[in-house]
Amino acid sequence: MPRLLRDNALTLAMIALFIPALVGQFLAGWSVYNDERMDHGSGPVSLIGYLTSPHFGEAVFENWESEFLQMGIFVLLTARLRQRGSPESKPFQEEDGEPPETDRAPDPKRKGAPWPVRAGGLIGRLYEHSLSIALFGLFGLSFALHVVSGAAEYSADQLDHGGQAVSALQYLGTSQLWFESFQNWQSEFMSIAALVVLAIFLRERGSSQSKPVDAPHSQTGD
């Protein structure tokens, strides 16, 4: 296997899964959207037209927001909380004698240390939390795009039924937005809990998300 593929195989595999899934959602959504338009006496839209439609944007961004929220919260919680026996948890300090490496103060003299660590100061402090900052930033952006596209889709539906259009700000006060968000958020939190608990007792040989197959159930961390 070429080194580039070997070194980036996990990322490339996820992209290879993501793109066909997004294309599949797009094509299926285009068909559903045109069926709905035909039912309301409107003509179908082209593929390009659907790509820029609020129907597609809302469907995409309401899912992206929940994924980034899930990952952001998981990163923050695992920095402070433990689950005995789970490989998704850091080990308990009092049992292992020394704090986990992720809890130790960054060493700017460490070989290969990223430049923000070497720079120190405010840049170094921000870098210490850059992962959660990035994830919550992506959540905020996705949520904002969900609100904007959702408001446009909601307004179109209201106008079709004799109602009034709403602004993005007004859409924040609708139950429709929060129904869409909460139904995705709860499933993400449930999946995290399932992974954390199931990984205490079950194994997947070779996976970084699993303890060694012969590890006791009480072993915490990988």
Side-chain angles (χ1 to χ4, degrees):
M1 181 184 297
R3 183 172 181 176
L4 178 64
L5 295 180
R6 183 197 65 192
D7 290 353
N8 301 282
L10 183 57
T11 299
L12 293 173
M14 295 308 301
I15 292 173
L17 291 170
F18 165 73
I19 292 177
L22 182 61
V23 171
Q25 177 190 355
F26 171 71
L27 294 176
W30 176 55
S31 178
V32 169
Y33 185 61
N34 279 334
D35 287 344
E36 292 176 351
R37 288 179 61 85
M38 296 294 287
D39 290 341
H40 288 86
S42 302
V45 299
S46 65
L47 283 170
I48 298 300
Y50 181 66
L51 182 63
T52 58
S53 71
H55 185 276
F56 179 64
E58 179 186 31
V60 169
F61 296 124
E62 73 174 83
N63 283 282
W64 287 11
E65 84 180 42
S66 63
E67 300 297 336
F68 290 124
L69 177 65
Q70 173 206 48
M71 291 186 289
I73 286 180
F74 191 45
V75 166
L76 286 183
L77 291 181
T78 52
R80 295 287 181 267
L81 306 180
R82 307 288 195 273
Q83 173 58 57
R84 187 174 302 279
S86 178
E88 300 298 324
S89 169
K90 293 186 294 188
F92 288 81
Q93 179 177 341
E94 64 272 16
E95 295 179 356
D96 298 319
E98 294 187 7
E101 186 174 8
T102 53
D103 286 354
R104 297 171 188 165
D107 180 6
K109 297 181 180 179
R110 180 174 180 174
K111 183 178 180 180
W115 72 265
V117 176
R118 300 194 304 271
L122 178 60
I123 294 176
R125 292 291 295 171
L126 288 174
Y127 189 70
E128 290 181 16
H129 305 286
S130 56
L131 180 57
S132 60
I133 291 171
L135 291 172
F136 281 110
L138 289 169
F139 161 71
L141 177 60
S142 299
F143 183 74
L145 292 171
H146 173 200
V147 171
V148 171
S149 57
E153 179 67 10
Y154 182 80
S155 295
D157 185 66
Q158 289 294 301
L159 292 172
D160 285 342
H161 293 86
Q164 293 183 335
V166 299
S167 66
L169 188 60
Q170 290 172 323
Y171 188 58
L172 283 170
T174 65
S175 57
Q176 180 66 30
L177 169 66
W178 298 108
F179 171 71
E180 293 169 352
S181 292
F182 283 128
Q183 71 173 329
N184 285 291
W185 296 0
Q186 56 85 15
S187 66
E188 301 299 341
F189 300 147
M190 179 272 294
S191 67
I192 289 179
L195 177 62
V196 168
V197 174
L198 290 176
I200 298 173
F201 308 102
L202 306 179
R203 309 287 189 269
E204 183 59 47
R205 183 177 179 183
S207 175
S208 63
Q209 305 305 303
S210 170
K211 294 181 290 189
V213 177
D214 57 358
H217 293 328
S218 61
Q219 177 176 315
T220 305
D222 55 6

